[in-house]
Amino acid sequence: MKRQFLCAFAMLVAIPLMAQENRTSADPEDGKSLQDKIQNPIANMASIPLDYNLSINNKNSNILNLQAVIPVRLTENWLLITRAFVPFMNVPTTSSYSNGVGNVMFTGTITPAKEGSFSWGAGPALMLPTGIEGLGFEKFSIGPSLAALKQSNGLTFGLILQNYFSVAGPSNAQNVNYLYTQILLSKNLKNGWYLYSNPNITADWNATNNNQWTIPLGVGAGKLITHNRYLPINVKAGVYKFIAHPTDADWLIQAQATFILKYK
């Protein structure tokens, strides 16, 4: 079964590649349009994404992620893209449900200010515990964050990579060694529509072998809405199948609305 899903995901990657126009060089506007910027997590764009995740199992879990993305110009040539991430969680426990705020995450990514078809950035990532049992790690953790992506002819593909290591917290709490990755894959269509697959693949290296990985594979569709009375809004939704999950969850349904506050 896992092999079938991996083959399906490989086809998902290949289809937009084959769908590109037959060009020998990238469009000079690649990476500069708003439709490209919404696919670029380190673009020079201030926004507030609201992201809802429903993991389907015998007991479903619900997570609403509130984010704030604020770019800061460091020099003429460099930007700092700050991203704060606050999850509001409703997750099952052995007896009932646990509710509250999970680990708060913050990244500061330094990236070149010059826009183009290739983007990259690096910086620190921090994870703060909130002290609520069952809603994440209990130690303050830091680590590196790296991002790289290519945009050409409406196609975006890239990767975000982070790994957190605990540095402070209760001595009786589990140490943290946690990998977070996000695959960036999308294809722009007409009238602001696009197809995408952005699975978050994680690994808790300190967990037992059968409980280390969370791997969802799937696809979604979205639309950039610019013709309204207010600021642009990006909306999208996707369905993923878990091929690995520490609680044996089957499906993941995602929906996101991003309110774009400012962009160059």
Side-chain angles (χ1 to χ4, degrees), residues 76-104:
E76 183 179 350
N77 297 321
W78 295 96
L79 293 173
L80 173 65
I81 308 299
T82 66
R83 180 182 295 267
F85 181 100
V86 182
F88 298 89
M89 306 178 69
N90 168 247
V91 297
T93 63
T94 54
S95 58
S96 59
Y97 275 81
S98 184
N99 303 284
V101 179
N103 293 135
V104 176

Side-chain angles (χ1 to χ4, degrees), residues 43-244:
N44 186 6
M45 183 177 71
S47 64
I48 298 179
L50 294 175
D51 181 40
Y52 173 70
N53 297 264
L54 170 64
S55 296
I56 299 176
N57 199 351
N58 293 331
K59 291 184 177 181
N60 299 339
S61 65
N62 300 270
I63 301 175
L64 176 65
N65 298 312
L66 172 62
Q67 302 178 56
V69 183
I70 301 175
V72 179
R73 181 170 290 277
L74 299 177
T75 68
E76 183 179 350
N77 297 321
W78 295 96
L79 293 173
L80 173 65
I81 308 299
T82 66
R83 180 182 295 267
F85 181 100
V86 182
F88 298 89
M89 306 178 69
N90 168 247
V91 297
T93 63
T94 54
S95 58
S96 59
Y97 275 81
S98 184
N99 303 284
V101 179
N103 293 135
V104 176
M105 303 169 76
F106 175 86
T107 58
T109 305
I110 298 175
T111 183
K114 184 178 179 180
E115 298 176 334
S117 61
F118 178 69
S119 300
W120 67 273
L126 293 80
M127 183 162 59
L128 292 79
T130 56
I132 303 177
E133 184 177 356
L135 297 184
F137 298 106
E138 299 178 49
K139 289 190 173 183
F140 172 63
S141 305
I142 62 175
S145 177
L146 305 172
L149 65 143
K150 175 71 174 178
Q151 296 184 298
S152 179
N153 302 327
L155 175 68
T156 298
F157 56 95
L159 181 69
I160 297 174
L161 178 64
Q162 300 168 359
N163 204 100
Y164 295 86
F165 304 93
S166 54
V167 295
S171 58
N172 59 345
Q174 177 186 356
N175 289 328
V176 178
N177 185 1
Y178 178 72
L179 172 72
Y180 170 89
T181 67
Q182 184 182 50
I183 295 173
L184 307 172
L185 179 63
S186 65
K187 176 60 181 178
N188 291 340
L189 305 174
K190 294 181 179 180
N191 300 319
W193 289 93
Y194 59 90
L195 298 176
Y196 77 96
S197 183
N198 299 146
N200 297 323
I201 299 174
T202 66
D204 181 359
W205 300 117
N206 290 330
T208 59
N209 289 337
N210 293 334
N211 296 317
Q212 283 186 343
W213 288 94
T214 299
I215 306 176
L217 296 180
V219 66
K223 181 175 175 58
L224 173 63
I225 302 172
T226 57
H227 299 293
N228 56 60
R229 296 175 56 188
Y230 306 103
L231 296 169
I233 301 173
N234 178 43
V235 293
K236 64 181 183 179
V239 178
Y240 294 79
K241 170 67 177 178
F242 285 113
I243 64 171

Side-chain angles (χ1 to χ4, degrees), residues 11-49:
M11 291 177 63
L12 174 67
V13 173
I15 287 173
L17 287 172
M18 294 186 294
Q20 293 187 86
E21 297 178 18
N22 184 20
R23 299 184 183 180
T24 57
S25 60
D27 189 308
E29 294 303 312
D30 284 335
K32 297 182 179 181
S33 69
L34 183 57
Q35 194 165 4
D36 277 348
K37 286 178 182 290
I38 62 173
Q39 309 299 341
N40 183 351
I42 55 174
N44 186 6
M45 183 177 71
S47 64
I48 298 179

